[in-house]
Each structure stands twice: as structure tokens, then as C-alpha cells.
């Protein structure tokens, strides 16, 4: 019988690791660069940690199991994962990417990959007709859903149909909902990306990234890449992410509950013009998100009436830090226009709705009354100045 996701967060596919005779419940950190060979032509399954390390392998098994892929590869950061994955393409290839993506991904595509001969069309995959942008050189569609930071929901099944019909790969960055709420490979995607730094690790204490696939061919090419480019995740960081994943279901549920309470508060708070959260009934993404995921997550973007108010909030919260990143135990407030999306050209940023009045909040797992009280005092003090 297929094990439930909370069980798989702890044990992965359930295969016991055979190499440790101590009975250690916490998977050991194999802090080694190299491995002795028993004899010429024989090995233990490990030869050098750039290729593979037992702690990293255990983590990769757990993540592959959660995403229902056949293979997952752990990299030193989300960007290292995406950079290695982009080596699947060659000069001349064209990729359709959603216009609203994590700023670092846009920076990679527009500066590094473009220099190496790839071309991109940045379009709104939640609204535009994707088929119209496919050329004979198109090789892939790259999306996030919900998108960072504007929370647009893209229909994964529809993108998969378009990709299949045109022999393209569908690549989904699943960082925002994590496999606890959404499993793109089961909806037709070919490759899933994660910034493991965020919900999977979950404690704002280390960086990691993943590429997951259900294709043996892609898995083999990625295995060649990870051993060649050398950006695999280190043993201790692998252990931190393994430990983080054990509580993924508890954290996702609690953070979502906090997010829903914060959304409700923001919707009635003076100075807030618009709240972007896929769990608000009647918003464009609500029904699609409900059909393709089991939750709405804990990321909220909201626009306030002026950039002065936005900056006042960032300066005035007493509990909630003003910091980049998301998906951890700590609630964080981010200012996308000067932080995560600062390198996205201004006109593109404004086109996506990322003005200097927009704030992004990642709900953590604190007591919701404390979070709401902090946001309330930060906003109300603006009008008492
Ligand atoms: C943070 C993030 C990344 C990049 O991951 P790092 O671990 O910071 O390198 C990629 N995609 C999304 C959606 C992210 O939030």
C-alpha cells in the first residue's frame, strides 16, 4: 500500500538504509569527500562526494518520493538547481517562461542563458494563449504556480496538454506550495524545481535546491550534469533539509492557517488596497488552484495605498522581520521592488504589477494573534504620526 505523505516525509520510499549498524534513527551525516574501494573494479556504491554522498542520496530519495518522481537531485541552492537544469538546452533553443517568476530565475534566463544562445518569451501563462508563442525552436514551458510574487495561478494540466501536443518539456517551480499541497509531475509536468531553502528546509537556516523528474532519460542527463558541474548539496546541508522535511505537513498546515487569518485581517484593514492570495473565493486563480492542489499555501502579496505606507510598515513591525526569503518558521515581510525583483527591469516589473506599494508576506508558524497585532500596530501607527 502506498504510504501517506506525512510518513514519506520521514521515511521516504521506506527503504531502510543498509549501511549503518548503530540503529541511528536520525540519518547520519556522512562528512566525507571520498570512499575506499574494496578492490579493483568494485565499489561501495560511492566513490566521490561530488557524484554522490549517502546523506544527499537519502534526501534525494525522500524528495523524489514526495513529488512522485523517479529521481530527485539535490543542489547547493535553488538557483544552482535551475542553472544545472538549463544545461539540458542548447544554443538556438527557445523557451516560453511565465512573465511573473522569482526574480533570480529571470536574471538567470536574461543574463546567463541568453548569453549562451537561448531565447525566451516572457508571457503571462495564466492569461495569454501560450500556443501562439510556440516556434519550431521551442523546447519547453517554464512556470511557477502560484507565481512569485503576484500569486497568479497557472493551470498545470492545461500547460501539460500544450507541452505534450508540441513535444515540449513542462517545467514547474513548485517552491510556493511544496509537494505537500501540489504535485506537478502527477498533473503532467516533466520536471519539478524547488528552492529547498524555503518550505522543504523550512527553518531559514540553509540553502538547497532540487530538480525532480519522472523521465529516465532526463534523470540520466541530470546525473551527468551534477557530477560535472559540481553544485551538489553538501552532507550537513542535506541533513538539515532532511530534518526540515520531517515536519513539512505540520508547518504547511499551520502556516496556511496563519495566512488565511492574515488575509482576512488585511482585507478589512485601512490602507490596504488589494490582497493577492489564491484562496480568496471569486479571484481568477481560486478554482484552478482548488482543482490542482490540496491547499492555497501561506504566501500573501498585498498592495497598500502608498509607497510611504509600505515603507512605514517595513520599518515599524516589531516582531516580523523585514527580510528576503519565505517558507520558514518565521513570518517574513519582503519588499519585492528593491529585494527579490530588484534586477528585473522596471518596466517589466510594473507590467507584472510589482509597484513600490506592493509587499509580500510569508506566513510562519507563530501564534496568529501576535502576527496580526504586529501588522495592525505597524499600519495604524502610520496614521497617528
Ligand atoms: C527562492 C526561490 C528560488 C531560488 O532559490 P535559492 O534557494 O534562493 O537559490 C527559485 N524559485 C523560487 C520560487 C524561489 O522562491
Amino acid at each position: 500500500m502506498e504510504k501517506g505523505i506525512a510518513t514519506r516525509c520521514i521515511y521516504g520510499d521506506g527503504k531502510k538504509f543498509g549501511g549503518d549498524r548503530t540503529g541511528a534513527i536520525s540519518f547520519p551525516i556522512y562528512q566525507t569527500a571520498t570512499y575506499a574501494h574494496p578492490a579493483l573494479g568494485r565499489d561501495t556504491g560511492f566513490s566521490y562526494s561530488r557524484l554522490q554522498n549517502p546523506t544527499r542520496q537519502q534526501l534525494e530519495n525522500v524528495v523524489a518520493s514526495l513529488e512522485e518522481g523517479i529521481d530527485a537531485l539535490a543542489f547547493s541552492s535553488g538557483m544552482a538547481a535551475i542553472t544545472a537544469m538549463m544545461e539540458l538546452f542548447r544554443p538556438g533553443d527557445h523557451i516560453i517562461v511565465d512573465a511573473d517568476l522569482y526574480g533570480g530565475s529571470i536574471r538567470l534566463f536574461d543574463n546567463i542563458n541568453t548569453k549562451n544562445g537561448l531565447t525566451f518569451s516572457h508571457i503571462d501563462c495564466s492569461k495569454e494563449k501560450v500556443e501562439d508563442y510556440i516556434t519550431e525552436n521551442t523546447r519547453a514551458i517554464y512556470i511557477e504556480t502560484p507565481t512569485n510574487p503576484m500569486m497568479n495561478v497557472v493551470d498545470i494540466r492545461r500547460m501539460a496538454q500544450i507541452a505534450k501536443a508540441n513535444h515540449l518539456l513542462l517545467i514547474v517551480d513548485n517552491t510556493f506550495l511544496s509537494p505537500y499541497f501540489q504535485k506537478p509531475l502527477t498533473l503532467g509536468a516533466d520536471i519539478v524545481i524547488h528552492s529547498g531553502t524555503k518550505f522543504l528546509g523550512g527553518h531559514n537556516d540553509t540553502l538547497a535546491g532540487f530538480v525532480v523528474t519522472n523521465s529516465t532519460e532526463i534523470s540520466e542527463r541530470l546525473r551527468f550534469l551534477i557530477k560535472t558541474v559540481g553544485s551538489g548539496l553538501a552532507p550537513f546541508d542535506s541533513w538539515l533539509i532532511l530534518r526540515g522535511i520531517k515536519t513539512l505537513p505540520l508547518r504547511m498546515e499551520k502556516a496556511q492557517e496563519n495566512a488565511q487569518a492574515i488575509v482576512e485581517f488585511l482585507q478589512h484593514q485601512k490602507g490596504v488596497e488589494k490582497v493577492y492570495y489564491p484562496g480568496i473565493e471569486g479571484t481568477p486563480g481560486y478554482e484552478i488552484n482548488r482543482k490542482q492542489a490540496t491547499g492555497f499555501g501561506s504566501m500573501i502579496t498585498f498592495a497598500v495605498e502608498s509607497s510611504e505606507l509600505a515603507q512605514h510598515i517595513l520599518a515599524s513591525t516589531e516582531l516580523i522581520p523585514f527580510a528576503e526569503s519565505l517558507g520558514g518558521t518565521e513570518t517574513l515581510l519582503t519588499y519585492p521592488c528593491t529585494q527579490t525583483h530588484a534586477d528585473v527591469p522596471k518596466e517589466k516589473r510594473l507590467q507584472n504589477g510589482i509597484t513600490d506599494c506592493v509587499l509580500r508576506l510569508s506566513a510562519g508558524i507563530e501564534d496568529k494573534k501576535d502576527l496580526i497585532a504586529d501588522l495592525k500596530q505597524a499600519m495604524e501607527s502610520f496614521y497617528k504620526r
Side-chain angles (χ1 to χ4, degrees):
M1 194 181 71
E2 179 73 29
K3 300 229 171 26
I5 193 158
T7 307
R8 283 181 285 131
C9 280
I10 296 172
Y11 297 106
D13 59 12
K15 273 188 227 121
K16 284 219 178 94
F17 178 69
D20 187 308
R21 275 179 249 121
T22 67
I25 294 293
S26 166
F27 196 91
I29 302 166
Y30 282 82
Q31 194 64 53
T32 184
T34 190
Y35 308 81
H37 295 291
L40 188 66
R42 283 176 51 208
D43 63 41
T44 60
F46 299 93
S47 58
Y48 191 60
S49 282
R50 175 152 40 74
L51 282 61
Q52 195 50 297
N53 171 282
T55 318
R56 193 176 95 205
Q57 187 175 62
Q58 174 71 8
L59 172 62
E60 292 177 342
N61 289 343
V62 170
V63 172
S65 160
L66 297 183
E67 286 287 3
E68 302 189 22
I70 60 161
D71 199 10
L73 295 94
F75 291 88
S76 57
S77 70
M79 289 320 301
I82 303 171
T83 302
M85 188 278 298
M86 290 304 287
E87 293 296 329
L88 295 173
F89 303 103
R90 342 182 132 266
D93 287 353
H94 168 250
I95 302 176
I96 294 170
V97 301
D98 200 283
D100 188 44
L101 291 179
Y102 175 67
S105 304
I106 298 175
R107 183 171 56 218
L108 172 73
F109 299 153
D110 288 356
N111 295 282
I112 313 292
N113 297 141
T114 300
K115 168 174 76 61
N116 295 338
L118 300 187
T119 59
F120 296 89
S121 296
H122 299 263
I123 68 168
D124 182 343
C125 295
S126 69
K127 291 195 193 77
E128 289 184 74
K129 196 153 178 264
V130 175
E131 293 93 323
D132 291 350
Y133 295 85
I134 298 173
T135 70
E136 60 179 15
N137 295 326
T138 308
R139 298 287 173 263
I141 303 171
Y142 185 106
I143 60 168
E144 294 174 7
T145 180
T147 61
N148 182 356
M150 297 315 292
M151 307 304 291
N152 301 321
V153 177
V154 183
D155 188 332
I156 300 175
R157 285 189 187 92
R158 201 172 77 77
M159 291 301 124
Q161 276 166 2
I162 297 169
K164 292 268 156 0
N166 294 279
H167 309 289
L168 315 177
L169 293 176
L170 176 62
I171 304 160
V172 181
D173 182 333
N174 198 31
T175 299
F176 267 31
L177 289 185
S178 92
Y180 180 69
F181 284 140
Q182 178 169 275
K183 297 177 192 66
L185 296 178
T186 68
L187 303 168
D190 302 287
I191 295 175
V192 163
I193 299 286
H194 273 286
S195 168
T197 312
K198 315 294 170 54
F199 291 97
L200 294 175
H203 293 73
N204 290 320
D205 56 10
T206 192
L207 303 188
F210 295 93
V211 184
V212 196
T213 182
N214 50 14
S215 144
T216 22
E217 191 223 321
I218 294 171
S219 153
E220 276 165 22
R221 291 169 68 194
L222 290 168
R223 287 282 156 204
F224 175 81
L225 283 166
I226 201 169
K227 93 173 167 196
T228 305
V229 302
S231 47
L233 192 63
F236 180 61
D237 298 292
S238 297
W239 182 85
L240 281 172
I241 306 291
L242 268 174
R243 184 174 68 161
I245 289 175
K246 291 182 185 186
T247 56
L248 180 71
L250 300 172
R251 289 185 288 102
M252 294 304 293
E253 292 287 355
K254 173 67 174 162
Q256 173 170 261
E257 182 190 315
N258 284 354
Q260 283 165 351
I262 292 169
V263 165
E264 195 130 305
F265 157 75
L266 289 172
Q267 284 177 319
H268 298 102
Q269 179 61 31
K270 176 178 158 72
V272 177
E273 305 243 287
K274 187 154 186 190
V275 183
Y276 302 85
Y277 180 71
I280 301 172
E281 265 188 81
T283 55
Y286 177 83
E287 276 303 322
I288 298 166
N289 196 99
R290 214 177 49 77
K291 284 188 195 135
Q292 67 189 11
T294 54
F296 298 103
S298 48
M299 296 302 299
I300 305 163
T301 293
F302 59 105
V304 294
E305 63 185 19
S306 65
S307 67
E308 290 72 34
L309 175 56
Q311 287 167 26
H312 176 86
I313 295 168
L314 293 172
S316 311
T317 53
E318 288 162 5
L319 179 70
I320 303 172
F322 164 34
E324 300 196 40
S325 205
L326 59 107
T329 42
E330 295 81 10
T331 297
L332 301 178
L333 260 175
T334 302
Y335 198 35
C337 70
T338 68
Q339 291 184 306
T340 49
H341 291 70
D343 285 345
V344 177
K346 191 168 177 201
E347 61 287 7
K348 209 182 255 183
R349 213 163 59 213
L350 293 177
Q351 230 171 45
N352 292 347
I354 310 172
T355 67
D356 55 8
C357 300
V358 165
L359 295 169
R360 192 189 73 187
L361 182 140
S362 168
I365 63 168
E366 305 93 331
D367 286 299
K368 58 184 168 232
K369 70 171 175 43
D370 296 331
L371 298 172
I372 290 169
D374 194 30
L375 288 168
K376 196 172 167 70
Q377 70 73 24
M379 288 189 201
E380 289 182 354
S381 62
F382 180 74
Y383 300 101
K384 293 186 195 133
R385 290 171 311 164

